[in-house]
């Protein structure tokens, strides 16, 4: 039986894409699962901790600390862009996960570019993901195709083996409920302003 990992996920990214890595870490760590999801009782209260170098590295040798965090993470989420595709660090982090026999635990999170584009200016996968063997290809969460919130929820669905549609419908219901509450509060304040 595999030992429980210290981190739910390790977010790999190029420094220029840090705002997306930070956004995704925040989104994951503050995500709330539905209270009753098809009888699933094994879901965590939150997806915390999620490793991102800026928030989680401790003093020491950088390469050793990164390697330790990778090995201690259940999933690897690669923030994919043409910039990260050219990053030796992002490629090395992905290759480490692949070498550990955990290619099936890698989730590409595409923010820009296209995978397998054959054009270095638009290619968003690092070489390690392009060179997966045995006909394996990773299914990505692409913000350009589905929007950033839906892409983040797709990551959550993959990590916990849940149906994306179930989580997305819940997200949309909550968003509409919050919007309706804000409209009601605003209307009430306006009414008070008129009356007084």
């Amino acid at each position: 039986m595999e030992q429980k990992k210290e981190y739910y996920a390790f977010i790999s990214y190029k420094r220029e894409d840090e705002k997306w890595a930070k956004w995704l870490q925040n989104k994951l760590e503050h995500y709330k699962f539905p209270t009753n999801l098809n009888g699933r009782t094994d879901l965590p209260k939150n997806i915390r901790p999620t490793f991102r170098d800026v928030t989680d590295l401790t003093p020491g040798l950088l390469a050793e600390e990164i390697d330790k965090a990778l090995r201690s993470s259940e999933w690897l989420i690669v923030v994919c862009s043409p910039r990260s595709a050219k990053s030796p660090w992002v490629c090395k982090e992905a290759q480490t996960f692949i070498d550990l026999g955990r290619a099936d635990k890698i989730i590409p999170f595409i923010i820009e570019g296209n995978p397998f584009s054959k054009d270095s200016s638009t290619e968003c996968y690092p070489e390690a993901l392009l060179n997966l063997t045995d006909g394996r290809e990773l299914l990505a969460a692409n913000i350009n195709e589905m929007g950033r919130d839906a892409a983040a929820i797709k990551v959550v669905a993959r990590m916990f083996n849940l149906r994306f549609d179930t989580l997305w419908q819940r997200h949309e219901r909550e968003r509409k409920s919050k919007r309706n509450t804000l409209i009601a509060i605003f209307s009430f304040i306006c009414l008070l302003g008129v009356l007084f």
Side-chain angles (χ1 to χ4, degrees):
M1 186 170 143
E2 191 176 340
Q3 184 179 356
K4 186 176 181 330
K5 302 294 185 189
E6 182 178 350
Y7 299 104
Y8 282 102
F10 180 112
I11 300 176
S12 177
Y13 64 99
K14 179 79 166 110
R15 187 67 54 214
E16 291 87 344
D17 299 328
E18 184 173 9
K19 72 171 188 166
W20 281 106
K22 182 178 181 181
W23 177 87
L24 183 59
Q25 180 186 32
N26 184 61
K27 194 77 170 170
L28 291 175
E29 290 190 339
H30 292 93
Y31 182 79
K32 301 286 186 216
F33 287 97
T35 51
N36 183 8
L37 196 57
N38 300 332
R40 292 273 304 261
T41 58
D42 61 328
L43 298 172
K45 184 176 180 182
N46 48 48
I47 309 170
R48 197 179 294 154
T50 300
F51 182 92
R52 184 170 63 92
D53 60 353
V54 172
T55 58
D56 297 290
L57 273 179
T58 56
L61 295 173
L62 180 62
E64 288 178 12
E65 290 298 315
I66 292 287
D67 187 65
K68 179 181 168 188
L70 279 166
R71 291 173 185 278
S72 300
S73 298
E74 184 70 29
W75 294 86
L76 174 67
I77 302 170
V78 181
V79 177
C80 296
S81 71
R83 295 168 297 281
S84 65
K86 296 174 182 76
S87 167
W89 277 99
V90 172
C91 187
K92 186 176 186 319
E93 290 163 358
Q95 190 61 55
T96 297
F97 237 66
I98 292 166
D99 292 345
L100 290 169
R102 300 173 61 209
D104 61 327
K105 298 280 191 171
I106 299 174
I107 304 172
F109 185 79
I110 299 173
I111 60 166
E112 189 181 320
N114 302 299
F116 304 102
S117 73
K118 296 185 170 92
D119 177 353
S120 64
S121 66
T122 60
E123 179 57 59
C124 68
Y125 274 10
E127 189 176 342
L129 298 187
L130 291 173
N131 293 335
L132 280 175
T133 56
D134 305 328
R136 294 182 292 176
E137 185 177 330
L138 298 171
L139 184 61
N142 189 332
I143 68 163
N144 301 302
E145 292 175 358
M146 56 193 335
R148 68 182 191 169
D149 287 336
I153 289 173
K154 188 173 185 178
V155 169
V156 173
R158 175 72 181 101
M159 287 173 69
F160 295 94
N161 196 26
L162 297 165
R163 290 194 54 214
F164 166 76
D165 287 343
T166 303
L167 295 181
W168 181 246
Q169 288 169 8
R170 173 199 173 256
H171 172 81
E172 285 294 285
R173 277 194 306 273
E174 281 189 0
R175 188 180 63 79
K176 287 177 185 172
S177 175
K178 285 179 186 175
R179 187 187 68 209
N180 290 341
T181 301
L182 288 174
I183 289 171
I185 291 169
F186 179 74
S187 299
F188 180 72
I189 291 171
C190 288
L191 181 62
L192 285 178
V194 169
L195 293 175
F196 297 101

